[in-house]
Amino acid sequence: MEIKYVTTTCPYCGAGCTFNLVVKDGKISGVQPCQRGPVNEGKLCPKGIFGWEFIVSEDRLKTPLIKDKATGEFKPATWDEALAVIAENFKKYSPEEIAVITSARCCNEDNYAMQKFARVVLKTPNVDHCARLCHAPTVAGLNMVFGSGASTNSFNDLAIADCVFIIGSNNFEAHPLAGRRIMQAKEKGAHIIVCDPRVTPTAKQAHLHIQHFPGTDIQLLNCLMKQIIERGWVDEEFVKNRTNGYEELKACVTQDKYSIENTSAVCGVPAEKIEQALEWLHECQHKTAFVHCLGITQHTVGVDNVRSIAFVQTLLGNIGKPGCGVNALRGQNNVQGSCDMGALPNVYAGYLKVTDPEAAKKVAAYWGVDEVPNGKLGLHIPEMLETFEEHPDKLKCLYLMGENPVMSDPNSKGVEKAMENCEFLVVQDIFETETTKYADVVLPGSCYAEEDGTQTNAERRVQRFRKAADAPGESKLDWEIMKMIAEKMGYGQYFPWETTEDVFNEMRGITPQYAGITYAKLEGDGIQWPCPTEDHPGTPILHIDKFAGMPDGKAKLEAIEHRAPAEVIDNDYPIWLTTGATIWHWPSGSMTRRCEQLDRDAPTAWLEMNPADAAKYNIADGEKVILYSRRGEVAVNTRVTPLIKEGVFFMPFHFTEARANLVTNTAYDPVSRTPEFKVCAVNVKKMEA
Ligand code: SF4
């Protein structure tokens, strides 16, 4: 028997842990720790250890499938047949009638290839990916304040902080190896503060848990800023030399409504807890790191939530220093990289703006085409789905890679209608999913274990995937599939790549942050961008001397008022619902639910409710109930627990048999267009009713 160990990067969360895939006689059979992993130092969470089993699942797609229009059944097809159908149909639509959705699960090279395919072959501006559902508010918010949408610091900075202020992040479950860095800080005496409506495993580790109502983050953050200003704790030097807009911010946050007393009432938090948080922020000034995740971003005020966090850290002078910063724990493994690659409707690779004529000319010249879509923004995912649902005469065709919107987007019934309305749908994936059943053609792609490539984690660390085994059957690498379609449509000359490294090298020529990164340089611990030249070591901390992405090098402070969520509780829907992830599964469950151990540990969904609410509705622990909202309803078993605040329910979103997104709200942030998954109004009834 031949055994080999292939070092690669975890395909789940944005921590970016390194491990070895164990390959026996060409077949992947397990995972072993890799002590050299810069993030995880040989440790892994359950998804890292057990989450490999989907790779060898019998369910893997192995050939292209074409839907028989007469029967509605899929039939296996050759690549030639599938490409012919796709090319013929793609040519029918104008650029405005086509959209492309790519995936943060896929490597940088696949995302670069997909946005190039959209812009060069389909000539459409409508390209987006699943960062829209998670951290688009981080990108937009931090970009507005600091001129760069990326996390400012590294995971190592969490370990050396004297205070870690976690808000809207259950990192013990969603990013456990980033959470480990925070526990390292705790062991050496740091204060750990967690703001979360639930008593999560992360909150249980904290010295202080602020259990505020969903949707009240800005109220809380403005309250902290009011006190920081009025108690004279502002880093005057930093604010004077490195920011604009302080007076405007000050006038806003010092209003009476942001007093501790009023904030205590609005957020449902004892005043003493706010006082304690303030004391530690002051005690640990210049050594406090803020950490946030989807609890901050998945709101109609997601961008403003992120900006408010950035403002607190700016007032305290906690930017550009070790042990500080605004640290966004990116959801999917390659959310950072997919944004960097320009898989977005507002920017090309390297964040060149589509509204900047010079940027458009530069990209067109680099690719050797007359022009690329420019001038106006393409459609974001929620706008795509809305248009398919309500105006199918305007948007008719969708090319989707590695995404499962029927499971992962809010208001599943609306998404199903959108997919039904789509005139021609191509889905490229590794499994049949809830979305592939609406497709006209399904293409078998590859997973992280079957390709060489790169991904970029939440601390901007570019890391390698390495091929451990062949993809099953007739499956192909994702960028190879795009190249084949391009060739079939007469655009082959723009996709000259022979290897994944060729794609990377083309990409870094137009992406300044990656310009100095090569596959050879990635053989060690990876490189944190920006890395402008091949002799540059990378950049662990951003904004040390100035905010280079801002026109005058200064951070932009502004007035932001607290605003209620898009949907608030009332007599008909008197309970707040918040949704989230578990340690066992990853978003739509298409990979983790095919891993025996993970599925055994968390086999289905549950609805978390406080004993007081359970008593009010006469509901027992474990009883199956109907949870309903203005969008729909879902049957789910209860879990009655004091770990959730009274008046708030929680439901995980990974389970197709009990889809949380049947009830969630499609309302989205006006800037980032990220839906408000984290809060909507619901009610509950007993099954027999
Ligand atoms: Fe994978 Fe994230 Fe777990 Fe690390 S913490 S093993 S990257 S899921």
Side-chain angles (χ1 to χ4, degrees):
M1 178 184 291
E2 190 206 20
I3 300 183
K4 64 176 180 174
Y5 300 87
V6 179
T7 304
T8 193
T9 310
C10 180
Y12 291 109
C13 84
C17 296
T18 307
F19 56 65
N20 292 318
L21 280 168
V22 183
V23 189
K24 289 185 183 159
D25 287 338
K27 190 173 175 191
I28 293 167
S29 65
V31 156
Q32 282 209 338
C34 173
Q35 303 299 335
R36 290 181 290 119
V39 173
N40 54 315
E41 299 171 312
K43 312 284 188 298
L44 290 171
C45 83
K47 288 187 284 285
I49 296 168
F50 302 114
W52 62 272
E53 293 171 11
F54 76 88
I55 303 168
V56 293
S57 164
E58 275 309 306
D59 294 350
R60 288 287 301 271
L61 287 167
K62 298 181 186 74
T63 66
L65 304 171
I66 298 176
K67 190 176 273 172
D68 181 326
K69 288 212 181 319
T71 65
E73 298 292 316
F74 282 114
K75 289 197 174 140
T78 64
W79 276 104
D80 271 350
E81 289 165 340
L83 294 174
V85 173
I86 292 169
E88 184 193 330
N89 279 280
F90 277 176
K91 282 180 185 167
K92 284 186 196 164
Y93 300 102
S94 68
E96 293 72 30
E97 292 173 331
I98 298 188
V100 168
I101 298 178
T102 172
S103 173
R105 192 183 71 194
C106 300
C107 63
N108 286 324
E109 293 79 356
D110 292 339
N111 276 284
Y112 176 81
M114 190 83 164
Q115 59 88 33
K116 182 175 181 183
F117 181 89
R119 288 167 167 141
V120 169
V121 180
L122 303 178
K123 300 182 172 44
T124 181
N126 304 325
V127 53
D128 202 1
H129 76 282
C130 53
R132 189 67 47 211
L133 307 181
C134 62
H135 271 285
T138 297
V139 178
L142 292 186
N143 195 41
M144 287 162 85
V145 182
F146 297 148
S148 164
S151 281
T152 61
N153 285 57
S154 303
F155 294 141
N156 280 341
D157 287 295
L158 304 180
I160 61 167
D162 289 342
C163 176
V164 183
F165 192 110
I166 303 165
I167 181 164
S169 159
N170 177 13
N171 48 71
F172 253 55
E173 294 207 69
H175 300 84
L177 271 297
R180 175 173 168 267
R181 293 294 192 203
I182 299 169
M183 288 305 99
Q184 288 172 337
K186 184 182 174 188
E187 275 168 24
K188 66 164 193 52
H191 303 300
I192 310 298
I193 304 169
V194 169
C195 306
D196 198 303
R198 298 170 64 216
V199 188
T200 60
T202 311
K204 285 180 188 168
Q205 294 296 328
H207 299 107
L208 174 66
H209 179 203
I210 294 179
Q211 199 172 3
H212 61 319
F213 282 120
T216 60
D217 303 284
I218 293 173
Q219 176 75 34
L220 180 63
L221 294 162
N222 278 0
C223 172
L224 296 179
M225 285 191 268
K226 176 178 169 68
Q227 297 304 319
I228 289 167
I229 291 169
E230 291 178 349
R231 296 179 190 196
W233 298 343
V234 171
D235 184 331
E236 303 281 356
E237 197 64 17
F238 190 88
V239 168
K240 181 166 152 264
N241 295 329
R242 300 199 49 192
T243 73
N244 292 314
Y246 173 64
E247 292 303 326
E248 184 190 334
L249 170 77
K250 181 179 170 185
C252 172
V253 302
T254 51
Q255 296 173 87
D256 288 347
K257 62 185 171 183
Y258 297 119
S259 67
I260 292 180
E261 298 70 33
N262 194 45
T263 300
S264 170
V266 172
C267 300
V269 175
E272 314 82 76
K273 293 202 170 192
I274 300 173
E275 283 287 0
Q276 180 64 80
L278 281 162
E279 191 185 305
W280 287 343
L281 286 177
H282 181 43
E283 179 191 322
C284 306
Q285 191 162 0
H286 299 161
K287 216 59 189 296
T288 293
F290 265 62
V291 173
H292 76 267
C293 192
L294 308 188
I296 277 293
T297 58
Q298 290 180 331
H299 291 274
T300 44
V301 294
V303 171
D304 285 348
N305 280 347
V306 172
R307 292 165 76 206
S308 299
I309 290 171
F311 294 166
V312 175
Q313 285 293 68
T314 304
L315 292 188
L316 291 168
N318 288 343
I319 299 296
K321 300 181 174 76
C324 291
V326 179
N327 300 276
L329 297 182
R330 302 306 188 116
Q332 189 75 51
N333 57 320
N334 199 27
V335 168
Q336 180 65 59
S338 305
C339 294
D340 302 340
M341 297 302 108
L344 294 168
N346 60 328
V347 290
Y348 309 114
Y351 300 98
L352 295 172
K353 290 189 171 73
V354 301
T355 48
D356 175 359
E358 290 309 311
K361 271 190 215 155
K362 184 177 172 185
V363 174
Y366 189 68
W367 284 342
V369 295
D370 291 340
E371 66 169 357
V372 288
N374 67 85
K376 71 176 178 96
L377 306 187
L379 296 174
H380 302 71
I381 290 174
E383 294 164 333
M384 291 177 192
L385 296 176
E386 218 170 74
T387 312
F388 276 124
E389 186 184 346
E390 289 166 18
H391 306 285
D393 55 321
K394 293 204 168 103
L395 193 59
K396 300 178 178 172
C397 175
L398 178 64
Y399 180 15
L400 186 71
M401 172 178 74
E403 276 299 297
N404 185 7
V406 171
M407 273 296 286
S408 54
D409 285 62
N411 185 17
S412 308
K413 289 288 171 206
V415 181
E416 285 172 0
K417 183 159 178 242
M419 293 297 104
E420 259 165 31
N421 286 352
C422 182
E423 214 171 82
F424 186 69
L425 173 62
V426 177
V427 181
Q428 188 166 309
D429 211 315
I430 58 173
F431 294 112
E432 289 194 60
T433 66
E434 291 75 7
T435 303
T436 55
K437 69 179 182 193
Y438 297 94
D440 295 280
V441 181
V442 178
L443 301 174
S446 303
C447 77
Y448 77 104
E450 293 147 359
E451 61 187 332
D452 289 313
T454 60
Q455 68 143 28
T456 309
N457 79 353
E459 50 171 7
R460 297 170 277 103
R461 188 183 298 275
V462 185
Q463 298 167 293
R464 282 291 312 277
F465 288 140
R466 290 182 186 82
K467 179 174 175 174
D470 290 329
E474 301 292 313
S475 306
K476 295 197 180 292
L477 299 184
D478 290 294
W479 66 260
E480 281 179 340
I481 298 172
M482 292 162 226
K483 175 178 165 153
M484 284 160 55
I485 302 173
E487 283 167 347
K488 195 81 181 172
M489 294 178 72
Y491 291 86
Q493 72 269 33
Y494 302 111
F495 298 80
W497 319 308
E498 295 301 325
T499 66
T500 314
E501 189 173 359
D502 291 343
V503 187
F504 185 88
N505 284 333
E506 180 184 309
M507 176 277 295
R508 72 189 183 97
I510 189 79
T511 310
Q513 296 88 339
Y514 287 67
I517 304 176
T518 63
Y519 269 29
K521 270 178 83 173
L522 294 176
E523 282 307 312
D525 289 349
I527 305 278
Q528 286 173 276
W529 68 251
C531 177
T533 55
E534 289 190 19
D535 57 0
H536 191 284
T539 311
I541 300 177
L542 297 180
H543 317 309
I544 290 175
D545 301 316
K546 62 174 182 173
F547 296 98
M550 298 300 280
D552 58 0
K554 292 186 177 180
K556 189 174 180 192
L557 304 176
E558 285 177 280
I560 296 177
E561 299 278 10
H562 164 69
R563 300 185 301 285
E567 185 178 59
V568 294
I569 53 174
D570 56 20
N571 287 341
D572 294 333
Y573 300 94
I575 302 277
W576 298 108
L577 175 74
T578 189
T579 63
T582 73
I583 194 168
W584 308 106
H585 290 294
W586 203 241
S588 74
S590 63
M591 300 194 303
T592 51
R593 295 201 74 192
R594 288 182 167 90
C595 299
E596 200 184 327
Q597 179 74 38
L598 298 176
D599 206 44
R600 190 161 54 225
D601 283 321
T604 193
W606 67 89
L607 182 69
E608 236 168 73
M609 64 172 69
N610 186 279
D613 290 319
K616 214 180 299 170
Y617 288 94
N618 189 25
I619 287 169
D621 184 30
E623 184 177 340
K624 195 161 216 173
V625 295
I626 302 285
L627 177 75
Y628 62 100
S629 73
R630 289 181 177 84
R631 271 75 53 195
E633 62 178 40
V634 55
V636 58
N637 294 318
T638 59
R639 188 177 285 180
V640 178
T641 167
L643 300 182
I644 185 93
K645 199 174 175 69
E646 187 180 343
V648 181
F649 290 171
F650 167 80
M651 188 171 169
F653 48 51
H654 317 287
F655 303 94
T656 185
E657 68 280 14
R659 275 187 268 163
N661 280 327
L662 284 161
V663 299
T664 48
N665 196 355
T666 51
Y668 50 74
D669 182 287
V671 177
S672 70
R673 270 79 159 181
T674 299
E676 192 156 55
F677 291 99
K678 284 290 182 240
V679 52
C680 69
V682 295
N683 205 340
V684 69
K685 58 190 176 190
K686 291 169 92 67
M687 273 298 264
E688 62 268 25

